[in-house]
Amino acid sequence: MAHPTAPTTLDPAAGNSGYDHIYLYPMFDTLVNFVPETLEALPGLASSWEFTDETTLVLNLNEGVSFHDGTAFNAEAVKANLERSKTWEKSNIAGDLINVDTVDVVDEYTVQINLTQPDTALPLILSDRAGMMVSPTAFNTDPDGFGQNPVGTGPFQFDEWLTGESVTVKRNDNYWGDPAHLDSIVFSIIIDRDTAINAVLSGQQDFTFNVDPTQLARVENEDGIVNNQSAGLFHYEFYTNNGRPPFDDVRVRQAMNYAIDRDSYLQATQFGTGEVAWHPIPSAHWAFPADQVPTYGYTPEKARELLSEAGYADGLTIEVVGWTADPDVRRAEVLQQQLADVGVTMNITATEVPQATAAFFNDKNYDAYLAAWTGRPDPSLTYSLLFGMGGYFNAAAYEAPGLEAALQKTRAVSDQGERTEAFGEASRIIADEALYVPLAYPPDFAVYRDTVQGYVPNLLAKPKFAYI
């Protein structure tokens, strides 16, 4: 498997890149699973669940499950995991469980989650990192080293991590569910997409994903090669640090949005495939606020006017971190040209995904981050992680007026129509405040040899390889 980025860590609670999920899924079962095509909730480690009232979620767990180190999976283990995710100082997913107050062990295989307020998104939140169960024994033995020696309950278990080269997982022969078909999966870290394609064409690799549209012509007529295209939540965007100049001024953030010709960007970077991004979810999603499109149409004169009002009539220079692969560099160059047209000079430092992510979100070394968002099973998690006060991807912990209340409304109701209306309210605040710069949704392209069977893409665009 040719993977385009190295993992930031193999600890589900501590990672900061959506690309980590591909490594994590084979090793860590989640409390809740989902239908690949629709992201509807399915049983996982929890065989069933029920809201016994608006602020109480009861999980019934599968029996006879063990972690890879032999530790029993039970209600105590779930309680330990959820409390760790909420309180551990290195956790990046505390915001996922913001509405969780306490966790009670009802009996060996029953867990009661007590909420501070209604949260109908919680079951699907437990299909993501917060629901990936780690061995309490392994974590408590070596909290700092767990990310290099992970222990879950999944159909594969950790074997080896060669820094900068590969991660290998091997089949868990004592798995509680359906056994995996493969003996092992080797995730080879191949950042350059052309090199990854070459490796698949030559047979050195069996599969690669996150393929750029510019590379598809190379594989379309190749015998024995499958080109799989599907829709996904993955989209390219500018993250901005809204707590420091120049992006602490809403006029500058709005100007950035007006300055981008998204249609031209789509054509230049994706050959017209996919769709322009106006919101954190694509047009095919049930929560998409169609009445708000376009949020910021291409209006360079408005961008110049706003920059002048903000005190940058003579120009503005921003320091941006981005990624090193050729398609990412090309995307940056297109944006540099578009922003230069309104007087914004974009200096970009390109580095690998884990380093770039840490430099922006942890170290706060840059004004903006030219990157992507990989989506979450429930849209409320996407909104809260990107823009909520407790969200890791809100680099400045910027508080947009009225947004926290709007986000809570998305979780307080269960009817999809009511939730759509609530997401529309949150989307209006995000757009008015110009909290980020959405760019484009690319199609999810995977390229693999026809000897690979059983691949099922999902709407998250984070492939699960356990049953290939």
Side-chain angles (χ1 to χ4, degrees), residues 79-241:
K79 176 180 170 69
N81 269 268
L82 296 179
E83 291 179 344
R84 170 188 180 237
S85 295
K86 271 190 68 71
T87 62
W88 184 39
E89 67 276 8
K90 294 183 180 180
S91 173
N92 283 329
I93 57 173
D96 297 19
L97 302 172
I98 191 169
N99 293 325
V100 173
D101 184 15
T102 58
V103 182
D104 295 332
V105 173
V106 178
D107 59 40
E108 188 173 5
Y109 296 107
T110 309
V111 179
Q112 179 174 301
I113 303 175
N114 306 301
L115 307 176
T116 57
Q117 51 194 340
D119 192 349
T120 57
L122 188 55
L124 274 175
I125 287 172
L126 297 178
S127 74
D128 203 78
R129 287 179 181 267
M132 293 182 182
M133 296 290 101
V134 311
S135 166
T137 301
F139 175 75
N140 290 328
T141 299
D142 186 10
D144 293 329
F146 183 86
Q148 288 74 47
N149 293 283
V151 180
T153 66
F156 287 86
Q157 61 191 71
F158 177 72
D159 186 24
E160 183 181 48
W161 180 356
L162 300 176
T163 303
E165 296 182 21
S166 65
V167 173
T168 302
V169 296
K170 60 184 179 181
R171 184 171 54 212
N172 172 15
D173 290 328
N174 297 313
Y175 186 55
W176 64 277
D178 294 333
H181 304 293
L182 302 177
D183 296 314
S184 63
I185 304 173
V186 180
F187 296 97
S188 299
I189 301 164
I190 303 179
I191 295 170
D192 182 78
R193 272 75 156 186
D194 284 326
T195 302
I197 291 288
N198 289 338
V200 173
L201 292 175
S202 67
Q204 297 175 59
Q205 299 289 322
D206 300 297
F207 194 112
T208 192
F209 63 99
N210 196 227
V211 174
D212 192 82
T214 59
Q215 300 162 315
L216 293 178
R218 301 180 54 206
V219 301
E220 284 177 338
N221 298 312
E222 287 286 337
D223 291 338
I225 300 296
V226 178
N227 167 22
N228 186 301
Q229 178 178 340
S230 59
L233 301 181
F234 179 100
H235 70 285
Y236 294 110
E237 64 173 87
F238 253 122
Y239 295 89
T240 52
N241 187 324

